[in-house]
Amino acid sequence: AAPSAKLVPVESLLSKGRRLLVISPHPDDETFGCGGLMARAVDAGCEVAVMVISAPEALPQFGADEAVVGGDRRRSEFEAAMEVLGVRDHDVLFTSDEVHMRLDAMPQAELVGLIERRAGYAFEAFRPTSSACRRRPTTRTTSPCSAP
């Protein structure tokens, strides 16, 4: 059996010089899942980056004030949320409907390669000291890559 990651208090991870990478499947998932953590990390002097995997153009999402909200609006709302949270490094990797529809069936190695080529702050480039994921809200004491 694989060893489990050691859980530590989040406060011990929030200090100047630390890097937090938040990976989100779609715009707004990062804010709902990790918005408080991101704001605390920015306030503590951490470098925070957010990688949204997909915000397609033509595949509509439901909005509070409209029947459907397209990709342009979702991306502009994401930009506004990042500004409020003080997160300067953020990107939406894929806006193509074709890529979006393939993501669930794409082999993991292909998806990871695609992300690494597209994201300026993917694991190897950004080298996070912590990462956060909405579906699995745990924090590792070590990152998947070597320490800086």
Side-chain angles (χ1 to χ4, degrees), residues 110-121:
E110 183 181 346
L111 178 59
V112 169
L114 202 54
I115 290 169
E116 288 292 335
R117 285 191 302 276
R118 289 270 306 148
Y121 40 78

Side-chain angles (χ1 to χ4, degrees), residues 79-90:
E79 295 281 334
M82 294 302 97
E83 185 174 331
V84 168
L85 292 171
V87 176
R88 293 185 303 244
D89 296 324
H90 50 81

Side-chain angles (χ1 to χ4, degrees), residues 74-118:
R74 299 229 25 216
R75 287 188 297 278
S76 68
E77 289 172 347
F78 168 65
E79 295 281 334
M82 294 302 97
E83 185 174 331
V84 168
L85 292 171
V87 176
R88 293 185 303 244
D89 296 324
H90 50 81
D91 193 15
V92 176
L93 299 186
F94 306 108
T95 59
S96 159
D97 295 334
E98 181 182 335
V99 172
H100 176 80
M101 294 304 290
R102 288 187 51 231
L103 290 175
D104 285 342
M106 189 177 288
Q108 183 179 10
E110 183 181 346
L111 178 59
V112 169
L114 202 54
I115 290 169
E116 288 292 335
R117 285 191 302 276
R118 289 270 306 148

Side-chain angles (χ1 to χ4, degrees), residues 15-72:
S15 60
K16 189 171 180 77
R18 303 287 302 211
R19 290 180 303 281
L20 173 68
L21 175 61
V22 176
I23 302 172
S24 174
H26 310 105
D28 80 11
D29 293 334
E30 80 294 330
T31 303
F32 287 124
C34 301
L37 175 62
M38 289 188 289
R40 288 172 64 188
V42 168
D43 287 346
C46 297
E47 185 179 351
V48 178
V50 177
M51 180 192 313
V52 171
I53 303 300
S54 178
E57 287 297 330
L59 295 174
Q61 303 292 318
F62 292 98
D65 59 344
E66 298 179 27
V68 294
V69 176
D72 285 340

